[in-house]
Amino acid sequence: MTAGEAPRAPQEASICPSCGQPVWPGDTFCEACGAGLAATAPAVARAACSYCHTGKMGQDGYCESCGRKAPSGRDHCEADLGLLAGVTDRGLRHIRNEDAMALAAVQAPGGATAIAVVCDGVSESARPDQASLTAAKTALSVLLSAARQGADPAVASARAIEAAQAAVAALADGPNAPSATFVSAVVTAGAVTVCWRGDSRAYWLDAGELSAAQALTTDDSLAAEMVSAGLLSEAEAMASPQAHVVTGWLGADAGEAAPHVSTFVPPGPGAVLVCSDGLWNYQPEAAKLAMRALPAALREPLHAAQALTGFALARGGHDNVTVALVPFPPASPAGQVRVYPDDVLDHAAVKEMGE
């Protein structure tokens, strides 16, 4: 560098293969040792693995610790909004992620409000990945607008799933219409409002008594119908070939059945879990899910969501996995406004601050 020349930023540097000193793009020889150089590119710090969070990604795109390939597109997405957090993962057997999640944290007129929407594309339908993402983003938009206005969460939830149903139905361009299951949770300081169609679930995980943990949704599935009719036990129904045949979904061929809307008033602190069947396939019992998620879900919801996702992957990861966790009661998050655009995470996630 000659006198008067501006220093070159260290992040532009590559490394000389002979002496290990910094070199820069365009250099034909190393200023330190004089070695000739091939064309150089800026050095890039190796990212931590998105799956195991401990290993580093190698030059070949695989984690040096767990061996998984770096995710692309919607293969693996994480969002931490303070009030809530979520993880969605392709799993180990599917060629794409047909799940989608949409998360929002907003300071509403009545206080802090967390919103989580999880949708699971029906694999046998056309473009299930597009169906799930369309449903999740459409519903979030309606729920977020209602929260900003202080509207009744139950009324807003019904409108949100209606809007999602219309948006997914509009994707149809042939006899095999795109379709997806749906579950949403709106969590305020006073109550949890859930809405669903299909077999994506919401659970209450009680911080005081594991036995108080419970499912907040009931599946629209043949398995659930057989159990309700007393034909099979839950274990027998889950082991049957019809275990995951859904009888309710969103899409052009969804029929006229009304969505389910329910309000739950928690007895004390805990967490709300919203998930696809890629998680509960491996552990459907609420108390056992609470054992795995708590107490981390109360203060570190992203860490707990990562752990639950990792549990499903370790058990086989046969399906896409989506996990969202909302500590209850929600506390106003600290920090600045953050928005995660779709071209970064390819799913909707919003955080708002202030009045």
Side-chain angles (χ1 to χ4, degrees):
M1 183 175 68
T2 60
E5 182 181 350
R8 287 177 286 194
Q11 62 267 26
E12 297 177 351
S14 251
I15 301 299
C16 172
S18 297
C19 68
Q21 294 300 308
V23 293
W24 283 266
D27 286 353
T28 58
F29 66 94
C30 175
E31 294 181 357
C33 70
L37 301 171
T40 59
V44 178
R46 291 187 297 162
C49 176
S50 298
Y51 299 105
C52 69
H53 301 281
T54 57
K56 297 294 184 181
M57 303 308 298
Q59 297 297 328
D60 59 357
Y62 289 83
C63 175
E64 295 174 351
S65 179
C66 71
R68 295 193 68 183
K69 192 177 187 299
S72 61
R74 285 166 62 184
D75 283 357
H76 184 91
C77 301
E78 300 183 359
D80 186 354
L81 278 67
L83 241 60
L84 73 165
V87 177
T88 181
D89 189 276
R90 178 173 60 88
L92 303 179
R93 303 296 180 90
H94 279 231
I95 61 172
R96 62 186 174 187
N97 191 356
E98 295 168 359
D99 284 3
M101 68 178 181
L103 311 177
V106 59
Q107 192 67 25
T113 299
I115 303 169
V117 184
V118 169
C119 298
D120 182 354
V122 178
S123 295
E124 293 76 16
S125 70
R127 308 193 308 282
D129 54 333
Q130 185 179 2
S132 62
L133 188 62
T134 297
K137 293 170 65 176
T138 300
L140 180 75
S141 177
V142 175
L143 292 170
L144 185 56
S145 177
R148 289 169 176 153
Q149 299 168 23
D152 182 344
V155 174
S157 296
R159 290 176 178 169
I161 196 171
E162 289 173 2
Q165 160 62 23
V168 176
L171 299 175
D173 56 5
N176 187 19
S179 57
T181 67
F182 178 98
V183 62
S184 66
V186 179
V187 182
T188 66
V192 179
T193 303
V194 293
C195 178
W196 73 97
R197 284 299 306 275
D199 63 353
S200 292
R201 294 182 177 182
Y203 289 87
W204 166 249
L205 310 180
D206 196 274
E209 295 289 339
L210 289 178
S211 60
Q214 59 183 287
L216 301 178
T217 57
T218 54
D219 298 344
D220 292 313
S221 69
L222 286 181
E225 291 178 4
M226 289 188 289
V227 173
S228 179
L231 300 176
L232 295 174
S233 68
E234 184 175 0
E236 291 170 335
M238 293 309 300
S240 73
Q242 293 79 30
H244 295 289
V245 177
V246 295
T247 57
W249 60 86
L250 304 184
D253 56 356
E256 299 298 324
H260 314 279
V261 180
S262 177
T263 300
F264 171 73
V265 179
V272 178
L273 165 64
V274 185
C275 64
S276 65
D277 63 347
L279 172 65
W280 68 255
N281 278 343
Y282 296 108
Q283 185 48 264
E285 295 182 35
K288 292 184 178 179
L289 286 169
M291 288 178 63
R292 292 187 174 276
L294 299 173
L298 304 178
R299 296 180 179 83
E300 298 179 303
L302 180 60
H303 178 75
Q306 291 168 342
L308 288 174
T309 302
F311 159 74
L313 297 178
R315 292 291 295 270
H318 286 77
D319 202 353
N320 310 140
V321 186
T322 301
V323 178
L325 282 164
V326 187
F328 181 89
S332 298
Q336 297 181 348
V337 177
R338 288 187 294 155
V339 176
Y340 296 91
D342 295 341
D343 60 356
V344 174
L345 293 182
D346 205 10
H347 73 292
V350 179
K351 178 176 179 179
E352 297 188 352
M353 300 297 305
E355 298 284 321

